[in-house]
Amino acid sequence: MIYTVTFNPSLDYVVQVEHFQGDAVNRTSEEHVYPGGKGNNVAVIVSNLGMKSRALGFKAGFTGAAMEQMLQEFGCDTDFIALEEGVTRINVKVKSDDEFEINGQGPRIPDEKIRQLYEKLDALESGDVLVLSGSIPNTLPDDMYERIMERLAGTDVRISVDATKDLLLNVLKYHPFLIKPNNYELGEMFGVTLESDDEIAEYARKLQEMGARNVLVSMAGDGAILVAEDGSVLKQLPPTGEVVNSVGAGDSMVAGFLAGYLKTGSYEEALKLGTAAGSATAFTSWLADSEAIDKLYKILDI
């Protein structure tokens, strides 16, 4: 099973406003509410691909209850820990001539609740996959990912980490199964600007030398490069289409890659399904469904 942890999930209130004006009353032309958070996005896509996912994390108040119910309606198993104070945050995302977001802070997470999360993670079994993604809320220690990976060291749980810069670099010593920086993040880690596929592969290998097993580098419209544990370097070009949504595309790529690898054991198929899932989400208003992903998967070639 694929487990995800979202420390600071949300309800995302997504609105379309025609020609937003800052000094006027604006009315929406379209609005949606979705369960938010990078780990939650992964869980939904995994479920859409027909595999079992279980979303872990923390919920609070009426917004937390709504967030969890929505995930269940998308087919995800959930096992969120309830917080007695605060509410799960609401993030407002406005789409107009320009796009902008207002993200909530989220509730405080007591030490006792963190211990409860550790107990749930201790129950993971050999062959399970754990996805750690996104930033750490400022109410928690910034080494939470390291603490979790140290706790699971020596088990056969495969861990995927999708985070930025130091948060990612600091976990490499625990040999994550998969990391997914984008090409700009990869360059920032080493203080360089990467301009070619060869340069991207070279610096992805450096992350392997530091401990990562598989390095998947997303490159937006240029596709993705995988430097795999078996020594192969693979590139997948994306399908053509109109990009209407950037939120969740990277999470969808991670979900598709993991699902593809668990289904086939093939890095080529994992990269292909990951690219299809990421692109399908980019071409739709929210996370892609199975039909959209399958349609793109069938037209991709390595």
Side-chain angles (χ1 to χ4, degrees):
M1 181 181 288
I2 297 177
Y3 292 81
T4 66
V5 174
T6 306
F7 283 105
N8 204 7
S10 63
L11 280 183
D12 287 355
Y13 179 50
V14 184
V15 298
Q16 181 76 40
V17 178
E18 302 300 328
H19 310 302
F20 178 86
Q21 299 180 46
D23 58 351
V25 174
N26 295 271
R27 301 193 182 280
T28 65
S29 58
E30 190 174 338
E31 53 192 66
H32 303 277
V33 179
Y34 300 117
K38 292 177 69 64
N40 286 345
N41 292 342
V42 172
V44 170
I45 292 294
V46 168
S47 178
N48 287 351
L49 289 170
M51 299 192 68
K52 293 191 69 175
S53 67
R54 179 167 296 163
L56 306 177
F58 304 93
K59 64 177 180 179
F62 73 100
T63 50
M67 177 269 299
E68 185 170 35
Q69 180 180 347
M70 287 181 181
L71 286 172
Q72 292 169 354
E73 291 171 353
F74 282 110
C76 305
D77 288 340
T78 63
D79 193 10
F80 286 90
I81 297 167
L83 306 176
E84 282 74 30
E85 298 181 2
V87 295
T88 293
R89 61 184 178 150
I90 298 176
N91 295 338
V92 180
K93 303 177 186 293
V94 180
K95 298 179 182 293
S96 188
D97 301 317
D98 296 312
E99 295 186 6
F100 63 88
E101 301 182 10
I102 304 172
N103 289 346
Q105 183 175 1
R108 186 181 69 86
I109 304 171
D111 290 343
E112 173 58 30
K113 300 299 182 179
I114 293 295
R115 286 192 287 272
Q116 291 180 28
L117 175 65
Y118 287 155
E119 291 172 1
K120 293 181 185 296
L121 296 177
D122 287 344
L124 269 60
E125 299 178 349
S126 175
D128 284 337
V129 174
L130 175 63
V131 178
L132 303 174
S133 55
S135 60
I136 305 295
N138 57 18
T139 57
L140 292 177
D142 57 11
D143 63 347
M144 279 302 304
Y145 286 174
E146 293 172 73
R147 296 185 186 193
I148 289 172
M149 295 182 73
E150 183 178 20
R151 191 178 186 93
L152 294 176
T155 70
D156 192 28
V157 174
R158 288 170 283 195
I159 300 178
S160 169
V161 181
D162 183 4
T164 56
K165 211 163 183 181
D166 290 346
L167 197 59
L168 182 59
L169 290 172
N170 291 340
V171 304
L172 296 181
K173 59 182 176 286
Y174 297 107
H175 306 293
F177 174 75
L178 176 70
I179 61 174
K180 193 210 68 64
N182 63 40
N183 53 326
Y184 299 108
E185 292 166 345
L186 178 60
E188 286 176 354
M189 291 178 200
F190 295 98
V192 297
T193 300
L194 304 178
E195 297 180 349
S196 70
D197 291 352
D198 288 343
E199 289 176 335
I200 290 171
E202 174 188 352
Y203 281 89
R205 287 194 194 94
K206 292 181 184 294
L207 293 181
Q208 273 191 326
E209 294 168 1
M210 296 168 68
R213 293 170 58 184
N214 298 286
V215 183
L216 176 61
V217 184
S218 57
M219 305 183 298
D222 292 324
I225 289 176
L226 173 68
V227 178
E229 187 174 20
D230 63 4
S232 60
V233 178
L234 305 170
K235 180 175 181 179
Q236 176 66 67
L237 293 173
T240 58
E242 180 184 0
V243 175
V244 298
N245 167 46
S246 60
V247 177
D251 306 323
S252 298
M253 176 174 282
V254 169
F257 181 93
L258 293 172
Y261 184 80
L262 292 179
K263 286 179 178 179
T264 67
S266 163
Y267 287 120
E268 290 87 352
E269 289 300 308
L271 179 59
K272 183 177 176 181
L273 186 57
T275 303
S279 299
T281 286
F283 298 161
T284 190
S285 59
W286 191 56
L287 300 177
D289 59 24
S290 59
E291 182 178 355
I293 296 171
D294 187 58
K295 180 179 178 181
L296 295 184
Y297 175 83
K298 289 178 177 177
I299 65 174
L300 288 179
D301 292 313
I302 292 289

